[in-house]
């Protein structure tokens, strides 16, 4: 049976206090399929009014039904959310692919299963966590108790919509908070369905609220300004993070930030070249290069530079671009017209800066509609070029040769970003030595995107504030109180 890839229109409403509701203003905006440029449906545009309703519902639920639920039942609810996501995997993957332009197989094998696992993981993790206790000789004993932070605003980007939303929502709920979610305006579909999934899993009304809308002067800003929101967890662009910090400062909200990256992929001559190529194809171009962890700055040690480029270019040319529902497709469409133009703007800039395109750099032949771009490899650019310095967030990489360890460490760190890095080498000592000197929160050696959800995840420098994952997520989503008892 061929999958239905044309949708009946899917209109997105807000999910507030357990119910799907429209905006009071009646305002809506259009949601497009980036692969066809066709209309997927309309989306209710929320603002101050809807955020206010959602925050009030979240506050009531926090001090009401959600507080009364015992930990075992909370764990069971979280597990059920994960179970329902898996039961509805095909449907969710299809919606995710329609909304983002990413290959269906990718949504179905990564985005959606991982969204389910986020709930299963934090449900299990919750069962095992405790707090500290310190005895002061025979004078006193200290112990701490963990409480939720309160009502938390979760603001999400469009590249991995359900995966990243649930990466926040699962620990947020596990720690006993209630949430107001602002999905990315470009990808409202799976978030909308998640409201129903939470309800079906037994989440009490008001615990999870979803308000659609834009960022500035819209639902996003209303959420960060709201005096009754205790914390904001934000994933998105570094520049947006700066705006949100200023806005959240007025009410001194707790902040967690996962921001942009311009990650180095460092390849030493002693590495296993076939393995390097196989993984580098993914770390460069998966999800159309629209992953914050993509290694878009590739540094190759001089002795294997030519050999690497020959193989890398040949493999890149084999990548099939086009219909996200074709199982052979490796690269789908970029998210939107605006983003497509922005990425193309960087390609023009690369030419001006003297870059040489070894492959890609243009719309694939035969694809007239949709925001398709050939995966692009650029050489000949200096490290100070904007194309090497700024996050492009598309299927575009630069390759630069290097001669020494010191030189490549200096180049890798020569950026405002510090999210992730990959190092390829079979020299054990060098792996440790270089890893410890790279300024990034997540460092992979001889692999990429291998994730254990217990580990700290996040960026340094302008790539983020704080860490998520395992205990780190609980640290953000809970308040600790120390209780000191004189004996
Ligand atoms: P964006 O910053 O434009 O938007 C993200 C979200 O923030 C959207 O929901 C948007 O409506 C909202 N927003 C925008 N302005 C706002 C404001 N003034 N107040 C409140 N909310 C506001 O980011 P985009 O383009 O959606 O996502 C791409 C970016 O996300 C890239 O820079 C990428 O590196 C970063 N990202 C980082 C990840 C990480 O874990 N470090 C993971 C995925 C993406
Ligand atoms: Mg869309």
């Amino acid at each position: 049976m061929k999958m239905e890839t044309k949708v009946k229109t899917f209109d997105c409403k807000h999910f507030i206090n357990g119910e799907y509701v429209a905006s009071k203003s009646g305002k809506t905006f259009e949601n497009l399929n980036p692969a066809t440029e066709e209309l997927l449906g309309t989306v209710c545009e929320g603002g101050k009014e809807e955020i206010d309703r959602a925050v009030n519902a979240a506050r009531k639920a926090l001090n009401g039904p959600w507080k009364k639920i015992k930990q075992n039942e909370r764990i069971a609810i979280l597990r059920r959310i994960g179970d329902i996501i898996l039961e509805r995997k095909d449907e969710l993957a299809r919606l995710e692919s329609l909304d983002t332009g990413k290959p269906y197989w990718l949504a179905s094998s990564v985005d959606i299963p991982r969204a389910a696992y986020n709930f299963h993981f934090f449900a299990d993790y919750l069962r095992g966590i405790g707090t500290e206790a310190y005895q002061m000789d025979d004078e006193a004993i200290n112990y701490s108790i963990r409480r939720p932070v309160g009502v938390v605003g979760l603001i999400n980007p469009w590249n991995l919509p359900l995966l990243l939303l649930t990466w926040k929502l699962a620990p947020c709920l596990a720690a006993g908070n209630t949430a107001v979610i602002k999905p990315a305006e470009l990808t409202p579909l799976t978030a909308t369905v998640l409201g129903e999934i939470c309800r079906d899993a037994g989440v009490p009304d008001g615990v999870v609220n979803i308000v659609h809308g834009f960022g500035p002067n819209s639902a996003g800003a209303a959420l960060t300004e709201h005096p009754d929101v205790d914390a904001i967890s934000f994933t998105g662009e570094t520049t947006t993070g700066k705006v949100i910090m200023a806005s959240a400062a007025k009410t001194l909200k707790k902040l967690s930030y996962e921001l942009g990256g311009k990650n180095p992929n460092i390849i030493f001559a002693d590495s296993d070249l076939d393995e390097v190529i196989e993984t580098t194809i993914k770390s460069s171009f998966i999800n159309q290069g629209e992953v914050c962890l993509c290694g878009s700055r590739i540094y190759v040690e001089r002795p294997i530079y030519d050999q690497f480029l020959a193989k890398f270019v040949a493999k890149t040319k084999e990548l099939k671009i086009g219909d996200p529902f074709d199982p052979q497709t490796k690269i789908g469409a970029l998210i939107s017209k605006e983003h497509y133009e922005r990425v193309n703007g960087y390609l023009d800039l690369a030419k001006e800066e003297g870059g040489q395109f070894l492959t890609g750099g243009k719309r694939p032949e035969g694809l007239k509609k949709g925001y398709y771009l050939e995966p692009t490899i650029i050489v000949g650019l200096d490290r100070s070029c904007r194309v090497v310095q700024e996050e492009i967030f598309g299927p575009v990489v630069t390759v630069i040769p290097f001669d020494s360890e010191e030189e490549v460490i200096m180049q890798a760190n020569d950026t405002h970003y510090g999210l992730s890095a990959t190092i390829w080498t079979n020299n054990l000592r060098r792996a440790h030595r270089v890893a410890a000197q790279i300024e990034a929160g997540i460092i992979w050696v001889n692999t990429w995107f291998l994730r254990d959800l217990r580990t700290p995840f996040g960026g340094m420098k302008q790539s983020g504030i704080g860490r998520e994952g395992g205990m780190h997520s609980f640290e953000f989503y809970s308040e600790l109180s120390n209780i000191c008892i004189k004996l």
Side-chain angles (χ1 to χ4, degrees):
M1 195 180 75
K2 197 165 178 295
M3 171 159 340
E4 186 57 68
T5 56
K6 292 260 174 198
V7 260
K8 298 176 248 48
T9 326
F10 187 127
D11 294 326
C12 295
K13 287 184 170 173
H14 313 298
F15 184 74
I16 300 176
N17 206 21
E19 273 186 301
Y20 284 101
V21 292
S23 292
K24 208 156 185 200
S25 65
K27 273 204 232 167
T28 60
F29 60 93
E30 292 185 339
N31 180 20
L32 298 182
N33 176 343
T36 61
E37 302 178 43
E38 285 165 359
L39 188 69
L40 288 169
T42 61
V43 188
C44 289
E45 183 182 341
K48 232 170 151 24
E49 170 89 32
E50 287 68 36
I51 289 290
D52 216 34
R53 275 164 61 198
V55 172
N56 289 339
R59 178 64 58 188
K60 267 205 188 130
L62 178 77
N63 297 321
W66 198 227
K67 197 173 182 174
K68 291 201 193 89
I69 284 181
K70 297 272 184 275
Q71 179 165 299
N72 269 343
E73 176 59 7
R74 210 188 313 148
I75 289 170
I77 291 174
L78 291 175
R79 288 208 63 90
R80 276 204 295 277
I81 300 175
D83 294 344
I84 301 174
I85 290 175
L86 288 181
E87 280 161 24
R88 296 178 69 169
K89 188 182 84 176
D90 295 352
E91 171 201 359
L92 287 165
R94 177 175 150 274
L95 292 175
E96 204 73 307
S97 173
L98 289 167
D99 220 1
T100 58
K102 74 174 70 196
Y104 170 80
W105 63 261
L106 184 62
S108 143
S109 64
V110 178
D111 295 68
I112 308 306
R114 172 61 197 281
Y117 184 55
N118 286 337
F119 283 100
H120 288 158
F121 172 81
F122 282 105
D124 293 344
Y125 201 89
L126 175 58
R127 205 182 287 287
I129 66 172
T131 55
E132 304 147 281
Y134 299 99
Q135 177 138 10
M136 301 167 72
D137 299 318
D138 53 4
E139 190 187 353
I141 181 146
N142 293 278
Y143 67 93
S144 45
I145 56 168
R146 184 179 295 283
R147 288 182 275 194
V149 177
V151 174
V152 186
L154 309 178
I155 303 180
N156 297 281
W158 44 257
N159 60 331
L160 306 165
L162 195 66
L163 188 160
L164 290 175
L165 191 170
T166 53
W167 174 236
K168 297 185 185 307
L169 183 62
C172 174
L173 296 182
N177 303 277
T178 55
V180 177
I181 296 163
K182 214 298 279 167
E185 53 271 34
L186 292 168
T187 53
L189 297 184
T190 49
T192 303
V193 177
L194 187 66
E196 181 180 271
I197 292 175
C198 288
R199 194 167 62 188
D200 291 348
V203 174
D205 294 349
V207 173
V208 174
N209 305 276
I210 299 157
V211 178
H212 295 291
F214 299 94
N217 307 311
S218 180
L223 185 57
T224 60
E225 283 163 11
H226 201 290
D228 203 28
V229 171
D230 300 288
I232 297 282
S233 177
F234 168 73
T235 298
E237 280 189 37
T238 297
T239 47
T240 311
K242 293 178 186 175
V243 175
I244 291 180
M245 185 174 264
S247 148
K250 290 177 204 128
T251 45
L252 213 67
K253 290 179 173 56
K254 192 174 184 184
L255 294 174
S256 163
Y257 273 1
E258 299 291 351
L259 308 174
K262 183 77 178 177
N263 311 302
N265 179 6
I266 302 167
I267 301 162
F268 285 97
D270 67 6
S271 54
D272 180 334
L273 196 54
D274 289 334
E275 244 183 87
V276 170
I277 298 287
E278 196 190 327
T279 302
T280 296
I281 287 285
K282 292 183 195 143
S283 66
S284 301
F285 303 126
I286 205 159
N287 207 52
Q288 303 71 244
E290 296 165 326
V291 180
C292 53
L293 303 168
C294 273
S296 50
R297 289 186 293 145
I298 303 175
Y299 298 98
V300 185
E301 204 172 9
R302 186 100 47 194
I304 58 160
Y305 181 70
D306 290 336
Q307 202 192 349
F308 168 83
L309 277 179
K311 285 195 177 189
F312 184 45
V313 169
K315 280 279 175 205
T316 300
K317 284 184 172 162
E318 286 172 14
L319 298 172
K320 187 164 189 286
I321 314 161
D323 179 7
F325 287 92
D326 177 341
Q328 300 307 317
T329 291
K330 291 289 186 290
I331 307 218
L334 297 188
I335 187 70
S336 67
K337 182 163 190 280
E338 194 191 352
H339 188 59
Y340 186 71
E341 284 168 359
R342 201 182 117 173
V343 174
N344 274 292
Y346 276 107
L347 299 182
D348 295 340
L349 185 62
K351 284 171 206 154
E352 279 168 36
E353 288 180 323
Q356 201 190 324
F357 288 55
L358 298 188
T359 182
K362 57 182 193 335
R363 174 180 275 283
E365 269 163 48
L367 290 170
K368 298 258 168 336
K369 280 257 168 200
Y371 309 119
Y372 291 106
L373 180 65
E374 285 179 358
T376 305
I377 302 172
I378 306 172
V379 295
L381 288 178
D382 184 75
R383 68 191 167 95
S384 61
C385 290
R386 281 183 54 204
V387 171
V388 180
Q389 287 288 331
E390 297 175 17
E391 182 183 46
I392 299 174
F393 220 56
V396 181
V397 295
T398 56
V399 189
I400 295 179
F402 70 89
D403 294 298
S404 75
E405 214 175 286
E406 295 70 36
E407 179 197 350
V408 77
I409 291 169
M410 185 272 292
Q411 294 219 32
N413 289 339
D414 181 26
T415 164
H416 293 303
Y417 291 112
L419 188 59
S420 74
T422 294
I423 302 162
W424 291 95
T425 179
N426 281 321
N427 179 328
L428 183 67
R429 288 183 174 176
R430 170 153 62 203
H432 288 290
R433 196 165 56 222
V434 176
Q437 292 177 79
I438 299 292
E439 294 162 357
I442 304 146
I443 296 165
W444 282 292
V445 177
N446 297 334
T447 184
W448 179 74
F449 215 159
L450 183 57
R451 294 275 295 118
D452 180 326
L453 301 192
R454 295 169 295 186
T455 60
F457 179 90
M460 52 171 78
K461 293 156 93 174
Q462 293 195 13
S463 285
I465 297 179
R467 295 291 182 271
E468 300 184 293
M471 207 52 218
H472 304 276
S473 294
F474 279 96
E475 293 300 345
F476 177 74
Y477 290 107
S478 37
E479 286 290 2
L480 289 173
S481 297
N482 184 65
I483 298 172
C484 175
I485 299 188
K486 180 99 199 288
L487 298 175

